Amino acid sequence: EAVLERGLAPIREILAHAGAQMLTPEGGDLLLERLVDQLWSTPHVPKLVAREMLDDGTWFESLAREWLTPIYEVGRQAMAATSEPSGWSEEQLPLVVVGMYHLLFGFFSAGALLRRVIGVDPEGPEMRRLHLEFVKDASRRLMRPGSSA
């Protein structure tokens, strides 16, 4: 529990300080850089979160309430506040936010897949660069469908 709390606290702090910067493409990119840097510095945290989600036990209930729901709400508010229409319906926005979660956190749970199926080093500097580039491009496309990266 303490490991997850220590690992998620910086993410919540990054999001809390992002504010209106998330509303511009440049600000969104900077926010994603900070989040990706934080996740790459603690790759065990997304894996632990994934494991807790799969177990869906009492600890996950607390984790969801205390940590993941506030993080989700910030993402949802950012999507709702963006000046450009995203093209997503109100009922689709939660799925878009969860999709971004998977792009950021899910990458770290897919290390074995990347290594064994695709044949790439999931922990190397080139993959870190590619992950960040992909997350930025995907975010732009999710926030503004029809736009190119």
Side-chain angles (χ1 to χ4, degrees):
E1 295 178 25
V3 171
L4 277 172
E5 289 176 2
R6 281 192 309 272
L8 290 172
I11 292 169
R12 189 161 60 180
E13 190 173 313
I14 289 167
L15 290 170
H17 288 83
Q21 92 175 28
M22 290 188 292
L23 305 182
T24 67
E26 300 79 18
D29 281 356
L30 183 58
L31 173 65
L32 290 171
E33 288 171 16
R34 290 179 180 152
L35 289 171
V36 168
D37 283 348
Q38 178 59 37
L39 291 169
W40 273 81
S41 72
T42 57
H44 61 286
V45 170
K47 293 175 188 177
L48 290 171
V49 171
R51 186 161 286 142
E52 290 297 329
M53 275 194 309
L54 290 172
D55 291 345
D56 194 18
T58 12
W59 167 238
F60 182 69
E61 185 178 326
S62 172
L63 176 68
R65 183 180 57 254
E66 301 296 322
W67 294 96
L68 300 178
T69 299
I71 290 170
Y72 163 81
E73 288 300 328
V74 170
R76 183 115 161 77
Q77 290 168 8
M79 292 227 32
T82 187
S83 58
E84 294 186 40
S86 67
W88 301 105
S89 71
E90 186 66 25
E91 63 185 357
Q92 291 173 320
L93 287 179
L95 298 176
V96 175
V97 175
V98 169
M100 278 303 300
Y101 163 85
H102 281 289
L103 293 175
L104 287 161
F105 279 66
F107 170 85
F108 298 94
S109 304
L113 177 71
L114 288 165
R115 184 175 38 262
R116 296 183 193 279
V117 176
I118 301 172
V120 297
D121 176 9
E123 298 169 2
E126 179 59 18
M127 186 53 66
R128 182 180 180 149
R129 181 199 63 74
L130 185 59
H131 180 220
L132 176 58
E133 181 183 301
F134 174 74
V135 169
K136 286 179 180 180
D137 289 348
S139 173
R140 286 185 205 109
R141 293 175 189 188
L142 284 169
M143 292 295 280
R144 290 172 289 289
S147 72
S148 60

